[in-house]
Amino acid sequence: MTPASGGRAEAPRHAEPVLSIRGVSKHYGPTQALTDVSLNSWRGEVLGLIGDNGAGKSTLVNIIAGVVTPDSGSIVVDGVAERLTSPAGALERGIETVFQNLSLIPTLNITENIFLHREIYGPGRFWSALRRMDRSAMQSKVDDGYRRLGLDLPPPTTKVAALSGGQRQAVAVSRAVIWERKVVVLDEPTAALGVKQTALVLAFIDRLRDHGVGVIFISHNLEHVQQMCDRVVVLRLGRKVFDSRLADTTGRELVERMTGAIAASESL
């Protein structure tokens, strides 16, 4: 078998996955969106999650993000079983999900978006009691995050409305590192971006890997999956049908898994 073009060597493994999805199922009325899906995400590894429309990717992402509660199964973060019943709960446990709509507010600047709902007040008790934002402290933390990540972005005081699509993606993802997230879920982060903007986002994913963050990369672009991922999971009709190191498969095989040209019974 010829390895997929651009496939990477297997990422070093820690003692246990940072995130483990175990036997998760979800139905909406008569529609079974997910059936007994399990997967692991490891620190410093980019896991590609792919599948055709209706494969169950969005439902799984929403479960990881705490937006949707599964009917059965469990979610384990750093070896501890968790019940994620809200996005806030997922964030508290170190899981950051960057959806396609990004959830950025264009009229606020970069710093204000990164600290949205997590503002620093002060300095001192008096100004904290009055809930006056400590903009200097927030901007200092963003500047530090820029340096650690090697980000080449406009100043943190720049309004998001003035940023390109790729820069907005980078801002949305940078929150994960600045807030020291364990896992970052990226939902189609390069969709509708130009070549230069896409390159910026993909380079940023490499930096997340270098910082030991577990990354789950959802994309319809197989070229980007093959370029960036260490491992790939394929969903089809709500079931996991394939889970492999990317170096051990090919682009053609991935397409066949997604379309059902290779039966699920041959996949695992």
Side-chain angles (χ1 to χ4, degrees), residues 11-257:
R13 290 295 174 88
H14 295 257
E16 61 186 8
V18 63
L19 175 69
S20 184
I21 307 299
R22 300 179 181 176
V24 163
S25 296
K26 179 66 180 179
H27 73 278
Y28 298 97
T31 302
Q32 191 72 30
L34 291 174
T35 303
D36 195 28
V37 171
S38 298
L39 60 83
N40 293 318
S41 173
W42 303 82
R43 290 177 180 81
E45 177 190 67
V46 179
L47 171 66
L49 180 62
I50 63 175
D52 215 341
N53 292 333
K57 302 188 301 299
S58 294
T59 299
L60 184 57
V61 168
N62 282 324
I63 287 173
I64 295 172
V67 176
V68 170
T69 302
D71 299 325
S72 59
S74 61
I75 298 174
V76 179
V77 181
D78 269 343
V80 178
E82 304 283 4
R83 182 169 173 80
L84 305 180
T85 57
S86 69
L91 287 171
E92 288 173 3
R93 288 155 182 82
I95 301 169
E96 182 100 23
T97 302
V98 181
F99 292 101
Q100 284 181 269
N101 61 14
L102 297 183
S103 300
L104 297 179
I105 299 178
T107 55
L108 299 181
N109 65 33
I110 293 174
T111 296
E112 291 165 339
N113 270 280
I114 287 175
F115 278 86
L116 191 62
H117 304 309
R118 292 173 277 200
E119 293 83 358
I120 297 175
Y121 296 102
R125 292 183 179 180
F126 177 75
W127 292 116
S128 293
L130 293 179
R131 296 183 66 79
R132 189 188 79 165
M133 285 191 292
D134 189 341
R135 298 182 184 278
S136 177
M138 293 191 297
Q139 185 169 327
S140 177
K141 189 163 185 176
V142 173
D143 285 335
D144 180 63
Y146 273 25
R147 286 192 296 270
R148 285 192 292 129
L149 290 166
L151 280 178
D152 184 19
L153 287 175
T157 53
T158 305
K159 298 288 187 183
V160 164
L163 302 180
S164 70
Q167 289 171 331
R168 293 186 189 200
Q169 282 283 1
V171 168
V173 179
S174 69
R175 288 184 298 200
V177 174
I178 289 172
W179 292 104
E180 299 181 345
R181 297 304 180 206
K182 302 171 183 177
V183 180
V184 178
V185 183
L186 302 175
D187 183 17
E188 298 285 355
T190 59
L193 296 184
V195 174
K196 289 184 179 180
Q197 297 173 355
T198 294
L200 172 67
V201 174
L202 296 182
F204 196 79
I205 293 172
D206 261 336
R207 294 192 183 102
L208 289 177
R209 186 204 324 262
D210 293 342
H211 279 75
V213 177
V215 179
I216 300 177
F217 178 51
I218 297 96
S219 180
H220 280 95
N221 190 314
L222 284 184
E223 181 181 347
H224 293 164
V225 170
Q226 291 174 273
Q227 177 182 344
M228 298 306 304
C229 296
D230 304 292
R231 192 162 51 88
V232 63
V233 164
V234 179
L235 296 182
R236 174 168 166 75
L237 302 178
R239 297 179 181 272
K240 185 178 81 170
V241 297
F242 191 61
D243 187 338
S244 171
R245 292 192 319 140
L246 195 62
D248 294 336
T249 187
T250 65
R252 178 176 177 177
E253 182 181 18
L254 292 177
V255 172
E256 291 175 340
R257 303 287 187 182

